[in-house]
Amino acid sequence: MIYLDYQATTPLAPEVAAAMRSWNEEKFANPHSPSKWGSEAAAAIEVARKQVGQAIGLEGGSVAFTGSATEAINWAIKGAIEKAAPGRNRIVTVATEHAAVLDTCEWLEKRGVEVTYLPVKNDGLLDLEELKAALDKRVALVAVMLVNNEIGVIQPVAEVARLAHEVGAVMLCDSVQALGRVEIPQGPDLVAVSAHKIHGPKGVGTLWMRKGAEPAPLIHGGGQEQGLRSGTLSPALCVGFGAAAKLASEKMAPDKAHIEMLWSAALAALGDGWSINGSVDQRYRGNLNIRRESIDAVRLIGEMRDIAFSLGSACASGSGRPSHVLRAIGLSDREARSSIRLGFGRYTTEEELVGAIRRINEAAEAQERFAA
Ligand code: PLP
């Protein structure tokens, strides 16, 4: 199989598997118990916390482990609203956010919170003037992602944070697709990330919280994670996340060079007939979301079961609905249904990528001949 779905998830790094092994196979202590073994597990979690914090790279805050980035985002949004001063009952976000943000906002909307979903330009980028116009002193939270999971575009998060702070709002940045790939700019108060997008294990995420901006708890119980997020932590998952984060920091420059090489090779192999969805310049280039007039992307994916790639997004792929992101950048349903996403990264070889693209091209041309 050729794996070209790096936005959906990434292969576990061998270094991460090795770091997790003894915590999976031998050591089983509860990291919150005071025994010698418990203390050893707690110490390993603290090392991991530091490694994840260093990879996020922001000053003046702390890292809380969660079960996923989805949980971190739910916590950040619901907890920020609960903690907001009286009269602050608005959220400003963007139409192209991940479902974890949009669905949480929708849930709150049904409970009386006012939510503004800002549109994006045709290149997928937010218009800062529109953001400015949407902000006022009633806004509790501004939620804008750094790298889009479907089209890879990079939002101006530092500016967004500055504007949010001008009206006294907290800024949440979903940095799931950015960690280890694009530097997270200073500014956000809350940052959500996930281990499995950086060659770590599934089932563990993090909410980075600026001191003073910690959201009210979402999950109540034993008071683990600074009294803010209850539940026994998994040493294996936390250690795996830490190892993946350390590796991501160390490999950021070589990974970026590798991605640039793959991007150029992919464009050369694609040739004419394809258009790129979303900004080419303000983009993480391990995401190639492309469309070709009159092809049926679902059929294309079905015809190539040994190449893993996606429709606009992994979530949209399952639902049969055209992606909300592709619609937000102005594509018709037809164009959205003619779009595919190729995601590549650290372990993708040029040979694999070019070979897969040649086959995708052949299949697309065959569809065109059939339709003609
Ligand atoms: N945000 C973005 C941008 C994502 O791509 C994803 C995963 O697809 C998530 C949030 C949710 O992450 P997790 O799988 O850890 O819940």
Side-chain angles (χ1 to χ4, degrees), residues 81-117:
I81 286 294
E82 191 179 329
K83 197 181 164 186
R88 282 198 188 263
N89 194 33
R90 287 189 60 214
I91 296 174
V92 175
T93 187
V94 185
T96 50
E97 291 293 303
H98 189 270
V101 169
L102 296 178
D103 289 6
T104 304
C105 286
E106 214 174 285
W107 187 88
L108 284 169
E109 234 177 338
K110 290 188 188 125
R111 285 153 183 83
V113 175
E114 191 187 315
V115 184
T116 303
Y117 301 92

Side-chain angles (χ1 to χ4, degrees), residues 69 71 182 184 218 299:
E71 183 198 322
V182 168
I184 301 174
L218 176 69
R299 218 179 103 198

